[in-house]
Amino acid sequence: DGGITQSPKYLFRKEGQNVTLSCEQNLNHDAMYWYRQDPGQGLRLIYYSQIVNDFQKGDIAEGYSVSREKKESFPLTVTSAQKNPTAFYLCASSGPQRSSYEQYFGPGTRLTVT
Amino acid sequence: AQKVTQAQTEISVVEKEDVTLDCVYETRDTTYYLFWYKQPPSGELVFLIRRNSFDEQNEISGRYSWNFQKSTSSFNFTITASQVVDSAVYFCALMNRDDKIIFGKGTRLHILP
């Protein structure tokens, strides 16, 4: 089945540790996105990538890093510089190219940092 | 400025009632796209509909219908004969030419049995 997978569903880390969230898609989509959702809030864009080996900062990129070495994969690293990392993280993809604009989402990863 | 406003934070209705979720957007672009997404308790966002700015035709899909009015910058969503399974958070979203989607803060819908 085609779709977007994010693993793990729940992740716990100690403060000061970097953590990498996985996002894989087999939809042949060109664009991929990372969002953060806090309780009672909408989604805020962290980073996005429209093609392999290229990505742009979103609205809240500070404390995060990404890579796009393969079309299917767009991992997000939450660094120790992120002041409030506890949140629900959603990965999305859209495409191929500009034939469709809606984004399809993965199941999300709930990160808790203590 | 680009903005999406969902003024209703939370709505509760009894099953089988109709309910309308409001969405008002702001954009300076003439070409844009509007979306609705559903977020059930599991957390994954489910795409419901996309509308482009040149197509003001209303759409109906089963019990769901959408009313797009450019004159009032609104893209409202109506669920007819609501069911308990419709309970979720619903997001309205806007995309301009830069391919970034801006989400509203969502409306939490409770359908009471």
Side-chain angles (χ1 to χ4, degrees), chain A residues 14-32:
Chain A
K14 295 286 188 188
E15 197 173 324
Q17 293 179 335
N18 291 355
V19 59
T20 297
L21 280 58
S22 162
C23 177
E24 303 277 332
Q25 56 99 359
N26 61 4
L27 300 168
N28 196 32
H29 285 172
D30 291 305
M32 296 186 75

Side-chain angles (χ1 to χ4, degrees), chain A residues 1-111:
Chain A
D1 280 4
I4 303 175
T5 56
Q6 290 184 247
S7 60
K9 192 166 178 63
Y10 299 94
L11 192 53
F12 299 88
R13 280 293 183 269
K14 295 286 188 188
E15 197 173 324
Q17 293 179 335
N18 291 355
V19 59
T20 297
L21 280 58
S22 162
C23 177
E24 303 277 332
Q25 56 99 359
N26 61 4
L27 300 168
N28 196 32
H29 285 172
D30 291 305
M32 296 186 75
Y33 308 81
W34 273 106
Y35 294 91
R36 170 183 173 136
Q37 186 178 25
D38 293 284
Q41 299 294 314
L43 278 69
R44 291 185 291 169
L45 182 64
I46 305 172
Y47 267 98
Y48 66 106
S49 167
Q50 293 179 315
I51 55 171
V52 174
N53 293 322
D54 187 47
F55 47 83
Q56 288 79 40
K57 292 182 180 179
D59 301 316
I60 55 165
E62 187 175 344
Y64 299 98
S65 66
V66 293
S67 64
R68 187 87 187 276
E69 297 175 3
K70 298 187 300 181
K71 187 175 183 177
E72 302 79 18
S73 178
F74 191 41
L76 172 75
T77 296
V78 185
T79 75
S80 55
Q82 168 50 232
K83 291 186 171 56
N84 296 296
T86 294
F88 186 51
Y89 291 88
L90 285 155
C91 178
S93 69
S94 67
Q97 297 183 351
R98 290 181 68 87
S99 62
S100 73
Y101 297 93
E102 56 267 23
Q103 295 179 8
Y104 293 89
F105 286 80
T109 292
R110 199 168 294 278
L111 174 65

Side-chain angles (χ1 to χ4, degrees), chain A residues 9 33 35 37 41-43 45 48 50 88 90 98 100-103 105-107, chain B residues 33 35 37 39 42-45 47 50 91 95 97-101 103-105:
Chain A
K9 192 166 178 63
Y33 308 81
Y35 294 91
Q37 186 178 25
Q41 299 294 314
L43 278 69
L45 182 64
Y48 66 106
Q50 293 179 315
F88 186 51
L90 285 155
R98 290 181 68 87
S100 73
Y101 297 93
E102 56 267 23
Q103 295 179 8
F105 286 80
Chain B
Y33 295 84
F35 306 85
Y37 285 86
Q39 186 177 39
S42 61
E44 182 173 342
L45 266 74
F47 165 73
R50 175 191 72 187
F91 291 97
M95 185 175 79
R97 287 172 296 175
D98 60 6
D99 289 348
K100 289 194 291 184
I101 291 184
F103 287 83
K105 292 195 173 181

Side-chain angles (χ1 to χ4, degrees), chain B residues 40-103:
Chain B
S42 61
E44 182 173 342
L45 266 74
V46 178
F47 165 73
L48 296 178
I49 189 171
R50 175 191 72 187
R51 250 308 169 249
N52 73 54
S53 52
F54 300 109
D55 182 3
E56 283 194 74
Q57 195 171 14
N58 290 332
E59 180 147 344
I60 297 175
S61 176
R63 296 184 296 108
Y64 295 172
S65 62
W66 291 269
N67 183 352
F68 176 29
Q69 293 199 336
K70 287 178 76 170
S71 60
T72 56
S73 296
S74 66
F75 186 42
N76 296 339
F77 173 30
T78 297
I79 301 175
T80 303
S82 60
Q83 299 176 2
V84 173
V85 294
D86 296 326
S87 296
V89 181
Y90 290 86
F91 291 97
C92 179
L94 164 72
M95 185 175 79
N96 288 347
R97 287 172 296 175
D98 60 6
D99 289 348
K100 289 194 291 184
I101 291 184
I102 297 165
F103 287 83

